[in-house]
Structure formats: C-alpha cells, structure tokens
Amino acid sequence: MRMKSVIVLVCSLIAVTKCQSSRTLRPEQPFNEVAANSLNSNPFDLFTHAPRKKPFYIVANLPYLIKRGEVVRIQLQLFSVLNSDILTNVTMFIKNDEIELVDRLSNNTHFRTKTIIVPHNQVKSISFLIKAKKLGEISIKIEAVNQLESDELEHMLRVIPEGRLYHYTGIRFIDLPTISTMFFSIKCDIPRDADPGPTEIDVFVDPILMGFLEQHTDSLLKIPTGASKSNLLTFVPNIVLLEYLKETGKVTPSVEQARNYVSSGYKNQLKYKHSNGAFGQWNPPRGNPSVFLTALVANALAIASKHIDIDKKIVEQAYSWISGKQKPNGCFEDDGEVIYTPLQNNSSSFALTAFIVSAIMENENIASQFAAVVQKATNCLAGNFDSLNNMHDIALATYALALVRHKKRQTYLDRLLTDSIFKRGSTFGVRYWDEELNVEIAAYALLASLQIEDRIAAIPIITWLNKQRYSTGDFSGVQRTFVALKALGRTATYFNQTKNAYKVRISYDTLHTQVDVQSMGRLKTFHHKLPGSVRAFNIRFDGIGLGVLQWAYQYHRNIQTAQRGFYLNVTVLDTSNYNVQELRICLSYVPMESFVESVDALVEVYLPSGLIVDEFAVRDISRQIQKTERVSDNTAMFVYYNRLGTNTVCFEITAYRMFQIAMHRPSYVAVHDTHDKTLYAFETYEGKVLPVCEIYDDEDRKSLNC
C-alpha cells in the first residue's frame, strides 16, 4: 500500500499530467512516513522524475472518468517540508463554464477558495465537490498559495453521457484516371433520440489506399486479445504495412515501430506452439492443435520473416505438420480444436484445403519446398470446383487456383462474380455477396481479381470492402481482419503506380476547406474534423489519381437494453453496499443460424463511477471463463469465453469504491461475439447510489444543511 502511494506521488507531480492514480495517500499521513518507504534518505530523492524539486506542492487524485450529472469529490493532498505550519489558500478555478461547484460557500461562479493550515512534514487533505456541465474532457485547475510558496496544477477529467456509444463509417472510392472531377454529397444519419451532447464527425482522404492502416496502427493493437488467434492482430496490420512499404520502396517513421510490433507478436505467438510444431489456442498448449490455426500462424510468420528475424525451422515444422494431415485425395480436414467453423467444417473440406494452398503459395520459398502438397491439393480443388455450392468455399478456391495460375482461373472468377450483387449507387458501383461471410468472400474475390489482373472486377469490390472497415481501420474478427487487410494491402501495391495530383474541397453550411493531395506527401492521410452540429456536407475532387474517401461519426444513445444473439441478465446482489458492490452476470448464446452452436464471447462489465476492481474480482461460478482483463484504469473488467453455448453460464464480480461520487448514473454490461460484432447484448443496471451528504466534508455539510 505504501509503495503504491509513492508511485502516485511521482505520477501526479508531473505538471498537467493525464496519469491517474489507483491509490490515495491517507489523510494526515506524515510525509517522512512516505519518504521512509523509499530507498533514499533524502525524501525528495524519490521525485527525481519530477520537473523540479519543491518544498511545497499539490497532488490531485481524480477518477478515470465520470458520467454527466454525477457529483464527484475532487480530493487533493498538499505536501510541505517548510520549517513550520503555514496558512494556505487553495483555489479551484472554473474554466469555460465546464463545471458547477456544488457547495454553497459562495455565490462566485468562477472560482472557489478554501483556507487551511498545512502542517510541516505532513500531508494535508482538502476536497472540492463538483458536477460536470459539459461532455468530453474538462479542465480541473487548482492553485495553492501561501506567504512563502505556491503551486498549481491542471488535470483533465473525462465526462461521458450515460448512454451507449455508437459508431458509423462511410466509404467511397476515388478514381480519376484522367484530369476530371468527382463530387459526393454526404449525409450523417444520426437518430433523433441520440444524446444531445457533442457528436464527433471526421473526414479522411487516403490517397494511397493504405494511409488508414499507418494512421490507426495503435488503435488496431488495442483490440482485446485473449488467445493465440487474437494475438495475430499484432501481426496483421503491421505485416501488411511493411509489405506495402517494401513493395513500393517508401520510407516512413512507422517502419521501425511496425517491426517492433511484429517482433513482439512473434515472441507472444511462440507461447502457443505445441512440441510437434503445430499451434493451438491457449497458453500453455493443451488439447489437439488446429490445422487451420497452424496454417494461419505459419503464413503470418512466413510473411513476417521478410522483415524480422524468425526461426525458419519453426515455419517449416508447422507446414510439415500440416502436410502430414493431407488426405489421399489431396484435401485437408481438421481434427483439432474448433476455432473458426467456416474453415473447419469437415462436411466440406474445400475451404480449408484452399486456405492451406494460399498460405503456402504466398511465400515463394515455402511454395517450392511443399510443391507436391500444393499439386495434390490443387487437383482436389479443381476436380471438385463445379460441384461447390458454398460461396465462401468458391471464393477461397478461386483465389487459391489463381495463385497456382490454373488454366481455368478466369472461368472460376467469372462464376464467383456471377453470384454476387452489383449496385450502381456510386460512380463505380459496389459489388458484394449476400452471405454471412460477406467480408471474407469479398476479400478473396478481390485477391483473385488482382492476381488475375482484372481491374474492372476489382474496383467495385474495393469500394464495398473499404466500407466495412471500422473507423479504427480494423474489421470484426481475427480471420476477417487478416484476409481483408491483406486484400486492401495488395490493392494499394497494385495501384501504386498511379500518380496522385488532385485537390480536395469540403463544404458544409457556409464554410469550406481545401487541400492539395500532391503536396501532402505520399504516405499522408488528409484528416478534417467537422463541427458536431453538421449533418450533411459536400466533397469535391479535381485532378487525377486514386484514393479512398472515408467519413466516420459517433454518438451516444440511451437505450436500456438490447439483445441480438445473446441472453444477458445482470443482478446487483443484496450483499452490496455503498463501498462494496457485487454483481451476478448470467449469459448464454442464442443461435441466429442453425448450424452455429457456440461462439467466442467477450463480456464487458462497466462499473458505476468511483468503483474499481482488483485482480481477484471475478468468481467463475460455471467454471468456463478462459481469461479476465482489467481495463480503463481498473474501472471495467473484460471476461472472455471460448465456445459459449446455449446453456446459461454465470459469474460474479466484486468492485470497491475508490472515489467518492454521488448521484451516479446507471452503468451497463455488454457481450458480443469476438468474430461478429453484429451479435451482441447489453443491459444497464443501477448500483448502490451513494447519498450526496456522505461525500461532503464538515465545511460542505454546514453550507448544505446535511
């Protein structure tokens, strides 16, 4: 406890920091007692990372975030090593009318001052009660002044609405083969019952088709990872980016960072390697390894080996293990743990066979080493192609047969395109497949089109596929992200020879902004943030070149409950009180498709403001939880399930009050399929509400008649 207190001091001393503490010092705790926990004899030696050493200063302890309308007690500690006790004025300033001071000590709406005596060599506590009036980040500015010394600090406090956050992303493909003009009129479809708070609207123009990946690498790496397949998300975006940069000869500061991410992902992936060279899903390895996952990892490692040092024997051993699973007819079946049903459904082994062929053929050295395996698998695919009726199987087989340059590869692509849906809607139209695995099918169709060099077929697929990206650049699910980003990366390399020289003009209301793409630099993505009140804007392109237009916006909407694909129930247990709150959460999968019996699920438990969880917070009643993860400075807990089925499972979670917040708003629990985020459920709940008078100090109670 004491050592954590020391860390808080170091963290909070850095001026205008966003660092949030997870422990507070005890009020009136002697300063020498804190210093004694250090290995240094000089008490100020433990603050060597602070910008300056001071005999008098303030430390603030703020929650990670609060909801609008909640009353929060801002707790401050004043430290003094002056020679005597000293009378000090402590003032909280109200900037831009962002907060309301709850006490009635004064009618002044711009600041509030409290006078205290700060003892020497001790910590003196003081607090202010505030209520946030605006959403977003609000400024908390504090100043302490006495006759000898002064100090001030400024923290940012996050304020969110009580509703759930929704995202929307729109995409258009820019193709100016000659000097010409393209014009788009865009509307932001924000529902009327959306929260009246600020709306964020961003417009991006990506002239190289890959700028979104470089821009959002950090966001992609923040996706929760709970198993081997999820760890691959540290590989995918960076490998694709590195491949593009290598193919096009471009140099960017992101290269070294991407290499570091790939290297880290490689080391993590080895934790899931079985002794026979195959890969499984859990650490430590257990059960039967998966042919699909081993092929997925081997493919990623083979590509990554072009950019970082990877033990070639690991890749070769993985492919050798896979080759041992080939059937006499050349096809493959998976008898290991089921991770991704569309590729492991043994009633049709053609998708897995095509996946393995493509995984081998995408690396020249591996392709020559395992040529016999590829030939047998190719015969299996080509011999059965005409009898295939599953669009995902057809798409994967088409790409695999394009990679081996099969003589009927164009015929296979034509069949795939015949079964698609084409809508004109935009300049080039969009092409997609009305199937459950539509992103994967489109990605493989795009890869096949580029392999065959059919540009006319590729562009409408590019337009639709780009539209399926989240604003952060990723797709829903590991396999979906893997193949979709690979396809878009291949697209960027294919179209790289195109010269980009066009002007972009965005207009809304009576305002406009303009940028020249040619002067931006080859790897720059143009980003413009629109005012939150905008609901429609126009964008015009004049010149020659290629690119992707993307617009994204988000809003909060206060919906109490929603379920699609899951049953979810949240109960606040009777054992809860103001300081310790206990929840029981029960859930199960509700199949949307008859052949899908279970899913990989992530449960996100968001706590009422002021509460936190520790590492022992979760009690697994049903004993099916695979992993737990504390996030957002311990204010939320993520719980992972592998193969959540139709039987109801339950767990309980205990949270402890860390910050004094009254009139708190409801919080919620959400669950979604880690492969398909259209399957989800969420439910709000009311915790034990702390009475307002309970968080006041003696001076505040007098002013409010508590």
Side-chain angles (χ1 to χ4, degrees):
M1 173 69 176
R2 292 180 181 175
M3 287 307 295
K4 291 185 177 179
S5 299
V6 174
I7 294 170
V8 171
L9 295 179
V10 177
C11 173
S12 302
L13 272 172
I14 299 174
V16 196
T17 180
K18 289 187 177 181
C19 183
Q20 303 295 331
S21 62
S22 61
R23 292 289 186 270
T24 57
L25 288 168
R26 299 192 306 272
E28 317 303 334
Q29 184 181 4
F31 182 82
N32 335 357
E33 183 181 339
V34 179
N37 290 294
S38 168
L39 296 178
N40 305 298
S41 58
N42 184 341
F44 281 105
D45 284 348
L46 44 129
F47 305 117
T48 54
H49 297 291
R52 62 187 184 277
K53 299 177 181 179
K54 298 182 62 177
F56 176 83
Y57 53 87
I58 319 167
V59 172
N61 194 15
L62 274 66
Y64 180 76
L65 56 80
I66 63 172
K67 297 185 179 71
R68 178 179 48 192
E70 295 178 331
V71 175
V72 57
R73 184 179 183 183
I74 302 299
Q75 188 75 32
L76 308 171
Q77 285 90 34
L78 278 72
F79 295 83
S80 172
V81 289
L82 299 172
N83 293 328
S84 61
D85 300 352
I86 191 163
L87 191 69
T88 301
N89 290 326
V90 184
T91 303
M92 172 176 282
F93 294 92
I94 303 173
K95 299 179 66 176
N96 305 318
D97 195 33
E98 294 178 336
I99 62 175
E100 171 189 344
L101 289 160
V102 177
D103 64 62
R104 299 173 186 170
L105 298 174
S106 170
N107 293 325
N108 192 311
T109 59
H110 300 290
F111 63 86
R112 183 75 79 250
T113 299
K114 293 185 177 183
T115 302
I116 60 172
I117 296 176
V118 181
H120 71 288
N121 288 336
Q122 286 189 351
V123 180
K124 178 65 177 180
S125 293
I126 187 173
S127 63
F128 292 87
L129 295 172
I130 68 167
K131 181 189 293 185
K133 298 171 65 174
K134 294 185 177 180
L135 298 173
E137 289 194 338
I138 64 173
S139 174
I140 305 294
K141 182 179 180 181
I142 307 291
E143 181 183 75
V145 180
N146 56 50
Q147 291 181 340
L148 299 177
E149 296 285 344
S150 66
D151 191 29
E152 66 177 31
L153 57 81
E154 188 169 349
H155 282 267
M156 305 305 293
L157 177 62
R158 303 174 184 86
V159 182
I160 63 172
E162 52 271 31
R164 181 173 172 82
L165 184 64
Y166 291 83
H167 300 269
Y168 177 82
T169 298
I171 294 286
R172 292 290 185 273
F173 188 75
I174 307 161
D175 189 8
L176 302 165
T178 59
I179 297 178
S180 53
T181 297
M182 292 186 73
F183 180 85
F184 299 103
S185 182
I186 309 298
K187 291 184 178 180
C188 300
D189 186 17
I190 299 175
R192 292 183 178 181
D193 61 349
D195 191 281
T199 300
E200 296 183 8
I201 305 174
D202 296 282
V203 179
F204 303 91
V205 176
D206 182 0
I208 61 162
L209 310 181
M210 284 293 288
F212 76 88
L213 187 57
E214 183 184 30
Q215 178 177 354
H216 292 295
T217 294
D218 289 341
S219 297
L220 284 161
L221 295 179
K222 292 177 184 176
I223 297 173
T225 57
S228 170
K229 65 182 187 300
S230 299
N231 180 65
L232 289 172
L233 285 171
T234 62
F235 277 145
V236 175
N238 297 289
I239 290 177
V240 172
L241 181 60
L242 288 172
E243 280 288 279
Y244 169 76
L245 295 174
K246 181 179 179 181
E247 290 292 329
T248 58
K250 293 182 170 58
V251 179
T252 167
S254 297
V255 170
E256 192 59 35
Q257 182 187 32
R259 284 200 186 102
N260 290 337
Y261 284 141
V262 172
S263 180
S264 175
Y266 165 53
K267 293 175 183 176
N268 288 336
Q269 202 65 44
L270 295 182
K271 299 175 183 177
Y272 308 98
K273 179 177 175 293
H274 287 245
S275 58
N276 58 9
F279 284 84
Q281 184 168 208
W282 303 109
N283 174 29
R286 59 181 184 268
N288 293 327
S290 162
V291 175
F292 157 68
L293 187 59
T294 302
L296 182 64
V297 172
N299 180 238
L301 294 181
I303 298 174
S305 66
K306 303 176 187 177
H307 310 285
I308 66 170
D309 291 331
I310 284 181
D311 188 345
K312 294 181 180 180
K313 292 181 180 179
I314 293 176
V315 179
E316 293 172 357
Q317 190 179 12
Y319 278 116
S320 295
W321 181 84
I322 292 171
S323 64
K325 296 292 183 179
Q326 192 169 31
K327 302 294 181 183
N329 64 357
C331 286
F332 287 86
E333 291 183 359
D334 203 333
D335 57 359
E337 55 186 339
V338 177
I339 297 169
Y340 187 60
T341 303
L343 280 171
Q344 296 179 278
N345 182 4
N346 288 334
S347 62
S348 172
S349 62
F350 302 112
L352 180 61
T353 303
F355 183 80
I356 292 172
V357 169
S358 63
I360 294 174
M361 291 299 299
E362 285 175 345
N363 185 285
E364 292 182 5
N365 293 332
I366 296 298
S368 60
Q369 188 174 350
F370 293 91
V373 175
V374 170
Q375 184 59 55
K376 288 178 62 179
T378 299
N379 293 338
C380 168
L381 293 174
N384 292 278
F385 193 92
D386 293 338
S387 64
L388 298 181
N389 52 27
N390 180 294
M391 292 309 303
H392 182 252
D393 292 1
I394 294 172
L396 242 173
T398 299
Y399 174 51
L401 294 170
L403 281 171
V404 299
R405 302 186 62 81
H406 193 276
K407 61 182 180 180
K408 296 178 67 176
R409 57 189 181 277
Q410 184 66 56
T411 303
Y412 298 147
L413 177 61
D414 291 342
R415 179 188 169 185
L416 180 61
L417 297 177
T418 300
D419 292 324
S420 67
I421 296 174
F422 181 79
K423 291 185 177 180
R424 296 199 173 273
S426 61
T427 305
F428 301 99
V430 294
R431 186 182 299 278
Y432 66 96
W433 285 258
D434 188 17
E435 301 279 341
E436 181 184 4
L437 302 174
N438 50 10
V439 169
E440 290 90 333
I441 295 170
Y444 286 121
L446 175 56
L447 286 167
S449 300
L450 296 176
Q451 189 68 29
I452 297 174
E453 299 188 357
D454 190 339
R455 173 183 172 134
I456 295 176
I459 290 180
I461 303 174
I462 296 170
T463 304
W464 182 86
L465 192 59
N466 261 307
K467 192 174 181 180
Q468 310 312 305
R469 283 193 285 115
Y470 297 150
S471 59
T472 53
D474 68 302
F475 294 79
S476 172
V478 176
Q479 171 61 10
R480 181 168 289 187
T481 297
F482 191 91
V483 64
L485 288 183
K486 182 187 293 185
L488 293 177
R490 202 75 57 82
T491 300
T493 303
Y494 181 84
F495 286 107
N496 178 62
Q497 302 304 319
T498 302
K499 176 184 178 182
N500 285 325
Y502 53 82
K503 295 184 183 297
V504 183
R505 180 185 174 92
I506 302 175
S507 59
Y508 50 90
D509 299 334
T510 59
L511 304 174
H512 72 273
T513 186
Q514 184 168 304
V515 65
D516 187 346
V517 165
Q518 189 175 28
S519 65
M520 286 167 41
R522 295 290 290 171
L523 276 176
K524 296 295 183 182
T525 295
F526 167 63
H527 175 210
H528 183 71
K529 188 175 288 291
L530 299 180
S533 59
V534 170
R535 293 297 178 267
F537 64 94
N538 298 317
I539 185 164
R540 173 173 168 162
F541 301 88
D542 294 291
I544 185 171
L546 290 172
V548 171
L549 163 66
Q550 174 184 340
W551 65 99
Y553 54 87
Q554 59 184 32
Y555 57 88
H556 284 83
R557 197 177 183 192
N558 194 8
I559 297 178
Q560 300 301 312
T561 184
Q563 295 186 358
R564 184 182 186 274
F566 290 95
Y567 159 77
L568 176 65
N569 179 261
V570 181
T571 304
V572 179
L573 299 180
D574 294 337
T575 51
S576 300
N577 55 48
Y578 298 135
N579 295 316
V580 180
Q581 300 200 22
E582 296 186 309
L583 301 177
R584 172 170 291 179
I585 298 164
C586 297
L587 65 153
S588 63
Y589 173 57
V590 180
M592 304 296 291
E593 302 287 346
S594 58
F595 64 89
V596 180
E597 298 179 353
S598 60
V599 295
D600 293 349
L602 169 60
V603 186
E604 302 173 3
V605 183
Y606 295 93
L607 303 172
S609 302
L611 296 172
I612 64 169
V613 290
D614 61 23
E615 59 183 314
F616 306 109
V618 175
R619 295 180 299 283
D620 186 6
I621 298 174
S622 302
R623 298 188 177 183
Q624 294 190 30
I625 293 175
Q626 293 296 328
K627 179 184 176 181
T628 62
E629 179 183 10
R630 289 175 290 163
V631 298
S632 301
D633 207 21
N634 299 325
T635 63
M637 178 70 83
F638 285 4
V639 178
Y640 297 86
Y641 282 95
N642 180 36
R643 315 315 301 169
L644 178 68
T646 56
N647 294 327
T648 300
V649 297
C650 299
F651 65 91
E652 293 179 354
I653 185 168
T654 300
Y656 301 93
R657 182 162 300 283
M658 187 68 206
F659 301 96
Q660 293 186 313
I661 295 176
M663 299 174 61
H664 72 66
R665 299 298 188 253
S667 194
Y668 67 91
V669 176
V671 56
H672 62 83
D673 180 357
T674 58
H675 297 295
D676 183 0
K677 291 184 180 178
T678 64
L679 300 179
Y680 64 92
F682 63 90
E683 182 174 332
T684 60
Y685 68 93
E686 288 273 7
K688 295 291 184 180
V689 179
L690 193 66
V692 176
C693 287
E694 289 293 321
I695 70 171
Y696 293 168
D697 58 23
D698 292 338
E699 188 178 10
D700 295 325
R701 285 193 180 94
K702 292 177 183 178
S703 71
L704 292 164
N705 298 321
C706 284

